[in-house]
Amino acid sequence: MKTLHAYLNSLPKSERSDFIRRCGTSEGYLRKAISTGQSLGESLCINLERESCAAVRCEELRPDVDWDYLRNSNPATQPTQEVTHG
């Protein structure tokens, strides 16, 4: 959350407002989450990383999520579950 806090503080007010809007949240929500150490939803983490051009990483925001699995997954190489009809 330190990186998110620093990133938000580095943006001029108008850019910060645009960034937060593109992430689909509010500044108040993010500030409260930062100050209380609240867990952010996975979708919000992805939005924050995407909109910050990876300056804020999902792994820092939610270290409890296996982001490495998602980053290294390739749908074409994922095991498929065989469906049997019987």
Side-chain angles (χ1 to χ4, degrees):
M1 291 285 216
K2 289 180 188 179
T3 304
L4 176 57
H5 186 250
Y7 185 79
L8 288 175
N9 289 340
S10 74
L11 296 173
K13 178 71 174 156
S14 63
E15 287 180 36
R16 186 169 58 239
S17 296
D18 289 342
F19 167 75
I20 290 168
R21 180 187 47 75
R22 289 191 314 269
C23 291
T25 191
S26 70
E27 185 168 356
Y29 177 79
L30 289 179
R31 298 279 184 194
K32 181 181 177 204
I34 291 166
S35 69
T36 62
Q38 176 182 339
S39 277
L40 301 175
E42 291 89 345
S43 293
L44 180 54
C45 293
I46 292 167
N47 293 347
L48 290 164
E49 181 169 324
R50 182 189 64 237
E51 296 303 326
S52 71
C53 298
V56 178
R57 301 282 301 205
C58 293
E59 289 82 354
E60 182 189 346
L61 298 171
R62 287 290 304 274
D64 60 313
V65 175
D66 188 3
W67 299 106
D68 190 51
Y69 172 78
L70 293 175
R71 291 187 193 285
N72 293 317
S73 67
N74 178 351
T77 62
Q78 294 299 310
T80 58
Q81 185 174 6
E82 197 171 307
V83 176
T84 57
H85 300 321

